């Protein structure tokens, strides 16, 4: 009975987390968006209190969010009377802190290992919608803007090399894709949101399969390993290999940047970043296949919910095909 009650509360909280995130997209007032952001954080912290056993990490997350929100609301208030670029820069820095954009990402590294997979999916996808939407209002073509892009392009790939912790790999991947979201904000439309939704969908599939086959979040502690060809397809999609959907998004991203800006250094960094990530994911897949026990089947069909695996294949390939055709 208690388990059913917790499941019900979890579903209600997740529903309101989604609702508050997408409601903010119809609002243009910064103060109202900030209010929805705080309600969203409150519901997410409530969700963590039910799902997580480490309350210290939840309190640490609350302190981080409170500090960044306090700076943000203070800058909003001052910016009403003195509309100066320095206040907008401070708003951007506070949002960088919330979004864990390098080099302000170390707080996320401390808590990521203590979260379950569902919490990680939420904190790396849905919880970023409102901060990115606010950043879209205050983003400026200045030094901080380029610093956000370059730091997100350079730091995560080199931190991911030889990393065996799945949770930290997904965290650094999310940090890296933040640079692509920020570049898409230059066009002043919601194409970054479409990219974020497809990226979240791919992350959800990959994390769900890791959880589905009971794979440890760290390669060092694998006891029972089940190989799945679907995981390789999803990693290829995350690496932006053709014909998967992320390649189309990155092409469009580079096209926008080349047309709006003449900054060859960032264009060069985008290409190098993509090549490094392809190497990292292929190296991870190589290790993934090396550990595979030959006694396991190519696709683990003995599980009673195996039909979901094929559904995820069809959905992933379907979305990729739609993007290629459009």
């Amino acid at each position: 009975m208690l388990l059913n009650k917790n499941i019900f509360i979890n579903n209600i909280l997740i529903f309101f987390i989604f609702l508050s995130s997408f409601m903010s997209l119809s609002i243009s007032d910064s103060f109202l968006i900030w209010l929805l952001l705080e309600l969203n954080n409150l519901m997410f912290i409530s969700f963590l209190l039910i799902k997580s056993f480490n309350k210290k990490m939840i309190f640490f997350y609350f302190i981080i969010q409170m500090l960044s929100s306090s700076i943000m609301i203070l800058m909003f208030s001052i910016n009403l009377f003195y509309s100066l670029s320095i206040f907008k820069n401070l708003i951007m820095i506070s949002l960088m802190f919330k979004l864990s954009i390098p080099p302000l990402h170390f707080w996320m590294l401390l808590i990521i290992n203590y979260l379950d997979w569902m919490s990680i999916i939420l904190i790396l996808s849905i919880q970023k919608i409102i901060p990115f939407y606010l950043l879209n209002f205050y983003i400026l073509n200045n030094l901080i803007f380029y610093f956000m892009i370059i730091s997100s392009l350079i730091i995560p790939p080199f931190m991911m090399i030889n990393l065996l912790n799945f949770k930290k790999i997904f965290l650094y991947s999310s940090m890296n894709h933040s640079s692509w979201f920020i570049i898409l904000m230059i066009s002043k439309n919601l194409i970054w949101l479409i990219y974020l939704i497809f990226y979240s969908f791919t992350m959800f599939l990959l994390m769900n399969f890791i959880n589905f086959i009971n794979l440890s979040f760290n390669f060092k502690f694998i006891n029972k390993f089940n190989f799945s060809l679907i995981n390789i397809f999803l990693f290829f999609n995350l690496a932006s290999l053709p014909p998967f959907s992320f390649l189309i998004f990155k092409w469009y991203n580079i096209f926008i940047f080349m047309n709006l800006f003449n900054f060859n250094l960032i264009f060069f960094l985008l290409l190098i970043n993509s090549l490094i990530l392809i190497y990292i994911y292929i190296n991870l897949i190589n290790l993934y296949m090396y550990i595979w026990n030959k006694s396991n089947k190519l696709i683990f069909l003995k599980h009673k919910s195996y039909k979901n695996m094929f559904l995820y294949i069809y959905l992933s390939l379907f979305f990729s095909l739609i993007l290629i055709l459009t």
Side-chain angles (χ1 to χ4, degrees):
M1 186 67 183
L2 181 61
L3 180 62
N4 293 333
K5 183 179 178 181
N6 287 338
I7 292 174
F8 176 75
I9 294 174
N10 287 342
N11 291 333
I12 292 296
L13 286 173
I14 291 174
F15 171 75
F16 280 107
I17 287 172
F18 274 81
L19 183 64
S20 59
S21 298
F22 287 99
M23 276 182 60
S24 65
L25 301 176
S26 62
I27 301 173
S28 58
D29 188 358
S30 299
F31 288 96
L32 290 178
I33 298 174
W34 176 86
L35 179 61
L36 279 175
L37 176 61
E38 295 313 303
L39 291 174
N40 183 275
N41 283 328
L42 178 62
M43 288 181 286
F44 182 69
I45 291 172
S46 302
F47 179 80
L48 291 181
L49 286 171
I50 298 174
K51 299 286 287 185
S52 178
F53 295 102
N54 194 312
K55 308 305 179 186
K56 292 181 181 179
M57 289 297 114
I58 299 175
F59 181 73
F60 179 68
Y61 175 79
F62 170 75
I63 294 296
I64 295 296
Q65 296 298 318
M66 183 189 67
L67 288 175
S68 57
S69 296
S70 300
I71 296 172
M72 195 185 310
I73 193 63
L74 180 61
M75 293 304 107
F76 284 159
S77 303
I78 297 175
N79 193 54
L80 285 176
F81 303 100
Y82 307 100
S83 183
L84 299 176
S85 60
I86 186 171
F87 300 122
K88 294 183 178 180
N89 288 334
L90 289 173
I91 293 173
M92 291 174 64
I93 292 173
S94 65
L95 288 170
M96 283 179 63
F97 200 48
K98 269 189 177 296
L99 293 165
S100 66
I101 293 177
L104 304 176
H105 67 288
F106 293 102
W107 64 272
M108 184 68 82
L109 288 173
L110 294 176
I111 70 171
I112 194 73
N113 283 334
Y114 297 95
L115 301 178
D116 64 301
W117 287 112
M118 189 62 200
S119 300
I120 293 174
I121 292 171
L122 291 176
I123 202 172
L124 295 183
S125 58
I126 301 302
Q127 289 300 106
K128 289 191 172 187
I129 290 180
I130 302 180
F132 269 123
Y133 185 60
L134 268 174
L135 185 62
N136 192 29
F137 289 159
Y138 291 95
I139 198 164
L140 299 171
N141 185 14
N142 58 7
L143 183 62
I144 294 182
F145 167 72
Y146 291 114
F147 176 76
M148 292 170 65
I149 295 175
I150 293 175
S151 63
S152 298
L153 285 174
I154 293 177
I155 295 177
F158 288 100
M159 297 298 291
M160 290 172 65
I161 295 178
N162 297 327
L163 191 63
L164 300 179
N165 189 312
F166 274 119
K167 292 183 178 180
K168 289 185 178 180
I169 287 172
F170 290 135
L171 172 60
Y172 283 121
S173 174
S174 177
M175 292 178 190
N176 178 259
H177 279 87
S178 296
S179 61
W180 297 87
F181 303 148
I182 294 169
I183 292 175
L184 286 174
M185 290 178 187
I186 301 171
S187 60
K188 295 300 180 182
N189 55 37
L190 292 180
I191 188 66
W192 64 267
L193 179 61
I194 300 174
Y195 191 179
L196 177 58
I197 290 173
F198 275 93
Y199 174 73
S200 303
F201 178 74
T202 304
M203 291 278 282
F204 168 75
L205 294 180
L206 199 47
M207 291 182 190
N208 189 59
F209 272 109
I210 290 174
N211 191 29
F212 176 83
I213 63 178
N214 297 319
L215 182 61
S216 171
F217 72 89
N218 198 324
F219 269 114
K220 296 178 182 178
F221 304 108
I222 294 178
N223 296 320
K224 182 180 178 181
F225 189 85
N226 296 319
F227 180 85
S228 175
L229 187 62
I230 311 164
N231 282 349
I232 293 183
F233 286 153
L234 293 175
F235 271 117
F236 280 156
N237 192 13
L238 208 58
S240 304
L241 290 175
F244 296 101
S245 57
F246 273 5
L247 178 68
I248 309 299
F249 276 114
K250 286 191 175 182
W251 276 355
Y252 185 71
N253 206 342
I254 293 174
F255 175 78
I256 289 177
F257 191 79
M258 290 181 64
N259 279 273
L260 295 180
F261 289 92
N262 186 19
F263 202 69
N264 295 328
L265 175 61
I266 293 185
F267 176 70
F268 175 76
L269 289 176
L270 289 173
L271 297 180
I272 296 298
N273 174 264
S274 297
L275 292 176
I276 293 175
L277 285 180
I278 289 173
Y279 165 77
I280 290 171
Y281 288 124
I282 291 179
N283 190 33
L284 192 65
I285 291 170
N286 190 23
L287 179 61
Y288 185 79
M289 296 177 69
Y290 178 77
I291 301 175
W292 173 40
N293 186 350
K294 293 183 179 180
S295 63
N296 291 319
K297 294 183 179 180
L298 188 61
I299 298 177
F300 192 61
L301 299 179
K302 293 182 180 180
H303 198 284
K304 51 187 173 183
S305 59
Y306 71 91
K307 293 182 180 179
N308 293 332
M309 302 176 70
F310 294 101
L311 176 62
Y312 295 144
I313 292 179
Y314 298 146
L315 285 175
S316 180
L317 295 178
F318 175 73
F319 282 117
S320 301
L321 181 60
I322 288 178
L323 287 172
I324 291 172
L325 293 178
T326 55

